[in-house]
Structures are given as structure tokens and as C-alpha cells.
Amino acid sequence: MFPLRVPIFAVLVSLTVGQYDDYDYQPASQYGPSSANCAQECECPINFPTAMYCDSRNLKFVPIVPSGIKYLYLQNNLIEEIKAGVFDNVTAELRWLVLDHNQITNEKVAKGTIDKLTGLHKILFSFNKLTEAVIPPSKSLDELKMMNNQLSKFPAGSLAGMQNLTSVHLQNNELTSKALNGVFKGLNKLVAIDLTNNKLKKLPSGMPSSLETFYGDHNDISSIAAGDLKELPKLAYLRLAYNQMTDAGIPAGVFNVTSLIELDLSYNKLQSIPEINEQLEHLYLQVNEINKFNLENICKFSGPLNYSRLKHLRLDGNNLTHADLPHDSSNCLRQASDIIFD
């Protein structure tokens, strides 16, 4: 997973309870007495009055949120429904909405609730029962997490104009390439997309040129189009392990891009080492069907200034042994500290 980079919005003592790490806060009881401006089911610490803690209380519904609340924590409940009107007091001021680990379905998200939250910065809506992404109309949104749902639909244009969005986490759903085509287009601050364990057959089209990290492990991707990575000049980390890629599905030079630092193609059906750029530092090819060490695909030429920056190369689980390493590989692979064959 990508690291969660969020500001610490209160002076906190050191975190001691692991279940709160993702949300950057401690249990409300550690803040002292609760404010009067709070839903009776929840706690709103006097010394942190803009936060309302309703987590882990066996709630079955979202309580009405009073004005002044910016950070709302509702994770680890039994919530099935979001009723109309619960956010009416905070449509423009709510910044964080955490709904992880509940039982919410699309049919039970009333109109006039999330679709009215114009000031949200973060929505964390993982481990529920959503089949279609629920997107707030906030141009301030910077983080979207809807992991471990049943998503198969993503409304076209729902992210349009969200120029502050930096990370999208949609792993462990049922999304196809078609459902996501064009969804990320024009999001010029988006740097990280995680689509691990979905139903992709190819990379989604229209991913922005700002993208630095793409995780697509555990899908059905069988090929990469020749121009896919040329449109992503900042892409540094590409993980496509546990897919269906073969040599025929990888055009010559498709991974030979200077921006890549890490490339993971392990657990596929490759029979040869793909052509890479000399700037690549980490290459994972374990558990394929590779039967030849193609040194020319790692270094076109070897010399004092022409050599691979590879530090780690995994080839275990293939039809190769250390004896297959070409005798003239030492100059090309001079920076490699790990070359694993078995």
C-alpha cells in the first residue's frame, strides 16, 4: 500500500493503539471531556472541538452531524444506511469522512448526503458493500479510498476537475479496464493509483502524466500497449505481478523508459527478460517461464559510462540457474547487489 501522507491536525501524544494508525488520531477518551455540540452517540473533545468520534459503537446509522465538525470518524460500526439530512449542517465544512468497516450499500446512501459534501479533502469508504463508487462533488478532495468493496462501476466524469486529488486506492474490487477508461484523465496532481486485485485486462486509458505509482497486481492483464508508458513520463513504480502477460503482449521497448525505478512482472508467463532502461534499479521477474538470460535487454552497450543501475534482480522460479549468467555480465551489472536465481 501507499504510505498515508496526511497532516497531523492536533498535538497528539504518541500513538499506542494500532487500529487508529490509518486515521492519524487516538481514541476520543484520551482527549478529555466531550463538547456539548456533539451527537449524543459520539464524542467531541473540548480540546479538539472540530472532530466527532463515532467509531466502534455498534451504530446502525449515521447520526446528524452538528455544525462546526470537520473530521468525522464512523469506522468499525454496523452502519447500513446514510439517511437524508445527516450532513446538512456541514455540507461545505466537513473535511474528513471515515466510513471504513461498515455494511453500507449504494441503495442505502440517500441523495442529498455525500453528493452535497463540497469541502471534503478525504473520503475513506473501504470494507463496505458498495457496487458503484460514491464520489463527493468536492474540488478539494485529495485522497479517495474505496478498497475491499464490490465495485464494478465508476461513474464517468465523477472525478472531473478534482485538481487536488493525489491518491486513489481501489484495490480488492471488481473493476474492469472499460469501467475505468478516462476516469483519471486530466487529474494533474494524481501521483498514485492502486488497482490491485480487480478485473483489469489492460491498463486504464487516460491516466494523467503526473502519475508516479501504479499498482495493478492480481488482475487479468495480458498485454501492454506500445504507447501506454510514453504517456506517463513520471512513472517510477509499476507493479504488475500475478497477471497473464506473455512475451507476445509486450511490445519491444515498452518498459525502456527513463523514469522507471521499480518494475514488478513476477508471476506472469514471460519467456524472456523484457527490454528495460539502464536507469531501472529493481526488477522482479520471479516465477515466470524465462529460459534465457537476455543481457542485451538490460544493457544495449557496456562501457565506463554505459551500464545498468540495477540493484536487485529476481529470477527465481524460472528455467535459469546462475550458470546461465553471461560471462561478460559483470560490467553491465556492476551495481547489482542481489541477483537471485533460486
Side-chain angles (χ1 to χ4, degrees), residues 6 92 98 112 118 126 157 166 173 203 270 274 287-288 290 308 322-323 329:
V6 294
V98 182
T118 58
S126 300
T166 60
N173 281 292
L203 300 187
L270 303 179
V287 195
N288 276 277
I290 298 170
S308 172
H322 196 275
S329 63

Side-chain angles (χ1 to χ4, degrees), residues 206-219:
M207 291 194 291
S209 60
S210 56
L211 196 68
E212 298 176 9
T213 300
F214 181 85
Y215 291 171
D217 300 333
H218 291 278
N219 278 281

Side-chain angles (χ1 to χ4, degrees), residues 166-201:
T166 60
S167 64
V168 175
H169 304 259
L170 297 169
Q171 56 265 47
N172 301 319
N173 281 292
E174 299 176 14
L175 292 162
T176 64
S177 304
K178 183 177 180 180
L180 292 170
N181 281 343
V183 163
F184 307 115
K185 189 174 183 179
L187 302 178
N188 296 326
K189 288 187 178 179
L190 186 61
V191 297
I193 298 174
D194 193 341
L195 290 167
T196 299
N197 196 23
N198 275 278
K199 294 186 175 180
L200 305 182
K201 292 190 174 180

Side-chain angles (χ1 to χ4, degrees), residues 45-284:
I46 290 175
N47 60 343
F48 192 20
T50 59
M52 190 161 86
Y53 299 95
C54 312
D55 55 298
S56 306
R57 294 161 196 264
N58 294 321
L59 299 182
K60 293 188 177 181
F61 59 88
V62 176
I64 293 175
V65 183
S67 59
I69 298 300
K70 294 183 179 180
Y71 307 98
L72 178 58
Y73 301 96
L74 290 157
Q75 71 273 18
N76 300 321
N77 279 293
L78 304 172
I79 297 171
E80 299 178 353
E81 184 174 8
I82 302 178
K83 296 180 180 180
V86 296
F87 299 132
D88 282 359
N89 297 319
V90 290
T91 55
E93 58 189 315
L94 193 64
R95 297 291 181 263
W96 286 27
L97 176 59
V98 182
L99 288 161
D100 294 345
H101 293 280
N102 280 288
Q103 301 175 22
I104 302 168
T105 61
N106 289 84
E107 294 74 19
K108 295 287 187 169
V109 179
K111 291 183 178 180
T113 55
I114 291 176
D115 58 332
K116 290 178 65 176
L117 298 177
T118 58
L120 269 191
H121 291 186
K122 301 182 188 302
I123 181 166
L124 280 62
F125 211 151
S126 300
F127 294 93
N128 278 275
K129 298 180 179 181
L130 302 177
T131 56
E132 182 172 351
V134 178
I135 309 298
S138 173
K139 304 304 181 186
S140 301
L141 196 70
D142 60 46
E143 183 174 35
L144 169 66
K145 282 191 173 184
M146 291 189 182
M147 308 173 289
N148 295 83
N149 278 279
Q150 300 160 21
L151 299 180
S152 61
K153 299 178 182 178
F154 207 106
S158 57
L159 298 181
M162 294 190 178
Q163 294 302 317
N164 289 300
L165 191 60
T166 60
S167 64
V168 175
H169 304 259
L170 297 169
Q171 56 265 47
N172 301 319
N173 281 292
E174 299 176 14
L175 292 162
T176 64
S177 304
K178 183 177 180 180
L180 292 170
N181 281 343
V183 163
F184 307 115
K185 189 174 183 179
L187 302 178
N188 296 326
K189 288 187 178 179
L190 186 61
V191 297
I193 298 174
D194 193 341
L195 290 167
T196 299
N197 196 23
N198 275 278
K199 294 186 175 180
L200 305 182
K201 292 190 174 180
K202 57 182 180 179
L203 300 187
S205 65
M207 291 194 291
S209 60
S210 56
L211 196 68
E212 298 176 9
T213 300
F214 181 85
Y215 291 171
D217 300 333
H218 291 278
N219 278 281
D220 296 315
I221 298 171
S222 58
S223 62
I224 304 291
D228 278 352
L229 302 191
K230 290 181 180 178
E231 298 174 0
L232 304 173
K234 296 181 179 180
L235 188 66
Y237 303 94
L238 177 60
R239 294 185 181 176
L240 297 171
Y242 294 93
N243 277 285
Q244 302 296 322
M245 284 189 291
T246 64
D247 289 5
I250 299 178
V254 70
F255 297 122
N256 189 358
V257 291
T258 58
S259 61
L260 275 183
I261 295 173
E262 177 184 296
L263 175 61
D264 189 347
L265 300 174
S266 58
Y267 295 88
N268 277 279
K269 298 179 179 180
L270 303 179
Q271 293 183 315
S272 61
I273 297 173
E275 180 183 342
I276 61 171
N277 192 269
E278 292 178 352
Q279 301 302 316
L280 190 71
E281 296 182 8
H282 308 278
L283 178 59
Y284 302 100

Side-chain angles (χ1 to χ4, degrees), residues 281-282 284 308-314 333-340:
E281 296 182 8
H282 308 278
Y284 302 100
S308 172
R309 274 62 175 181
L310 270 182
K311 298 176 181 178
H312 303 285
L313 172 59
R314 284 195 62 176
L333 298 172
R334 68 180 74 169
Q335 290 198 342
S337 57
D338 271 321
I339 302 178
I340 301 173

